[in-house]
Amino acid sequence: MRNDSARQLRAGRSRQIAVVVLDVTNPFFTDVVTGVEDAVTENDLMVVVCNSGDSEDRQLRHLDQLEEQRVRGVLITPVEARPGERIERLVERGTPVVLVDRGADWTNGCRVTVDDAMGGRLAGEHLVASGHARIAFVGGPESIPQVAERHTGVAAAVRGKAKLTVVRTPHLTVTDGRRAAAQIAELSDERRPTAVFCANDLLALGVLQEMTARGVRVPHDIALVGYDDITFAAAAAVPLSSVRQPREQLGRTAADLLLQEISEGEAHVHRHVEFQPELVVRESSARG
């Protein structure tokens, strides 16, 4: 392995593209990486996946190692809301970087995002149209831009039409969803929401598990909508309504932009590509 690295360093850049994700166990990122691989392998390059685990220290170590290995470019969903000093330094030293699902107003590289505020609005409008007057938003931390934007979107959709209760979570996992559901289930009948919108599908699956364990019927007693539309959403015990993101297309587009920058060099013009989400309604929030 060291001999290969030495040869790559002598020859210049390696034939590797790196993808740094927040959580390798989240199916959303698995699908994003699949899209990246589809684009990169067509160009005789290899994808290296690094998991930051939502840790700035781990992200920093990965970026140091990737620069040492002289990767051709980096696709990253950074831990921080905006690119930090280390990412900016990577760009200054000649390694192209594309931000995936991050980087509002960043001008030193390309970025690919989804309109998450619109996604939140779609979920909120659906639940209001279904007759719900008490709705909960489950998600966190708000330091994650996507969580904040989804909250903003659903709040705008229900304003003046329904009461919105916010249940914060420390992470976006099934376990956190179960804990949030327990909080909701223990509210009095007068305060308990009749619908829940979760910031991602893992939270929603946790809510579904906990409600089922407590004998709360979905959607008869409480409607439920997630976000991402991962494969497990449609396969849940109660098929999950979800705001769909074009996950593989997100990854492929990010990789295409990176490959363009590698090919065009200083002539490259950075671009921001934003995709629109769509609501997929299934049994968990079915009307009536």
Side-chain angles (χ1 to χ4, degrees):
M1 195 64 142
R2 290 183 179 178
N3 289 338
D4 288 343
S5 297
R7 281 195 294 271
Q8 288 171 357
L9 288 171
R10 284 195 296 271
R13 293 284 178 183
S14 74
R15 300 203 61 79
Q16 296 176 334
I17 297 293
V19 186
V20 184
V21 301
L22 286 176
D23 180 5
V24 75
T25 66
N26 187 332
F28 169 81
F29 289 110
T30 303
D31 290 342
V32 169
V33 171
T34 297
V36 172
E37 287 188 321
D38 287 345
V40 167
T41 53
E42 292 172 4
N43 289 269
D44 196 28
L45 296 169
M46 186 175 73
V47 177
V48 176
V49 180
C50 301
N51 178 35
S52 70
D54 208 13
S55 163
E56 289 190 34
D57 288 340
R58 284 180 65 176
Q59 175 180 282
L60 180 61
R61 288 197 299 273
H62 285 315
L63 293 176
D64 286 344
Q65 291 166 355
L66 292 171
E67 186 172 26
E68 184 178 319
Q69 291 296 315
R70 296 180 63 79
V71 294
R72 287 288 183 91
V74 175
L75 302 167
I76 184 170
T77 303
V79 172
E80 60 273 12
R82 295 177 181 272
E85 179 183 338
R86 185 64 185 86
I87 293 175
E88 298 286 6
R89 192 162 71 246
L90 197 65
V91 173
E92 290 170 3
R93 291 175 176 174
T95 301
V97 174
V98 174
L99 301 188
V100 182
D101 216 18
R102 276 285 203 279
D105 304 324
W106 192 50
T107 59
N108 287 340
C110 293
R111 53 195 174 97
V112 181
T113 61
V114 176
D115 188 345
D116 285 302
M118 171 60 76
R121 286 196 295 273
L122 291 173
E125 289 167 357
H126 166 63
L127 294 173
V128 168
S130 298
H132 296 284
R134 298 192 304 275
I135 299 169
F137 172 72
V138 173
E142 288 271 329
S143 58
I144 298 175
Q146 293 91 332
V147 172
E149 289 168 11
R150 292 165 196 178
H151 178 196
T152 296
V154 71
V158 307
R159 190 172 295 119
K161 302 171 185 175
K163 175 179 172 55
L164 184 67
T165 299
V166 178
V167 181
R168 305 285 188 201
T169 61
H171 306 289
L172 299 167
T173 67
V174 172
T175 299
D176 290 290
R178 294 200 66 152
R179 290 170 179 159
Q183 293 180 45
I184 293 169
E186 290 168 4
L187 294 172
S188 64
D189 291 343
E190 298 77 22
R191 296 178 58 204
R192 187 183 307 124
T194 60
V196 177
F197 168 48
C198 295
N200 78 350
D201 285 341
L202 296 181
L203 287 172
L205 291 171
V207 170
L208 177 60
Q209 288 179 7
E210 185 66 22
M211 292 300 181
T212 300
R214 289 171 176 262
V216 179
R217 299 170 301 168
V218 176
H220 305 287
D221 300 322
I222 195 162
L224 181 61
V225 177
Y227 204 108
D228 289 338
D229 196 32
I230 61 176
T231 303
F232 299 134
V238 179
L240 183 65
S241 295
S242 185
V243 179
R244 174 181 292 166
Q245 300 195 77
R247 303 174 303 280
E248 292 186 18
Q249 191 177 2
L250 198 69
R252 186 180 184 95
T253 301
D256 284 342
L257 290 172
L258 186 65
L259 293 170
Q260 289 172 22
E261 184 169 358
I262 291 169
S263 174
E264 296 168 358
E266 293 183 0
H268 178 75
V269 177
H270 297 312
R271 294 171 53 205
H272 172 211
V273 179
E274 182 175 68
F275 291 100
Q276 296 299 312
E278 61 177 312
L279 178 67
V280 179
V281 178
R282 299 191 180 95
E283 187 180 336
S284 71
S285 68
R287 293 185 176 95

